Amino acid sequence: GRHLAALGDLVVAWADAHPAVRLVTPRDPARRAGVLAFVPPDVAGSSERLRAAGVVHSVREGCIRLSPHWYTTPAELTGALAVLAGG
């Protein structure tokens, strides 16, 4: 649980550093689940960049959704966020 909360914290911090991104995932760790959702300025383009980089994700209800698990490393998640930021 702590590991998933820490991964969620990475996404919250990333969204805070990118004002054009709207965070859908609750900021409060006690209210978060394993799914991390946010809306970048270009959802379709962001999804394509993630797909091209081999990042498994989904697009639901206009959001990019990531579902890291216990085996997802902070470096892997940070890499996925870097793909999004680079576009």
Side-chain angles (χ1 to χ4, degrees), residues 13-86:
W14 175 81
D16 287 346
H18 295 85
V21 173
R22 180 173 60 87
L23 185 67
V24 177
T25 294
R27 289 182 181 285
D28 178 2
R31 295 193 57 229
R32 275 189 231 142
V35 175
L36 306 169
F38 49 89
V39 182
D42 177 10
V43 173
S46 295
S47 177
E48 185 54 39
R49 287 193 305 280
L50 288 171
R51 191 175 341 278
V55 177
V56 177
H57 67 287
S58 64
V59 176
R60 300 254 170 83
E61 298 181 21
C63 301
I64 297 285
R65 292 175 34 144
L66 300 173
S67 297
H69 209 298
W70 64 269
Y71 50 79
T72 304
T73 67
E76 289 171 325
L77 184 55
T78 300
L81 297 174
V83 167
L84 290 167

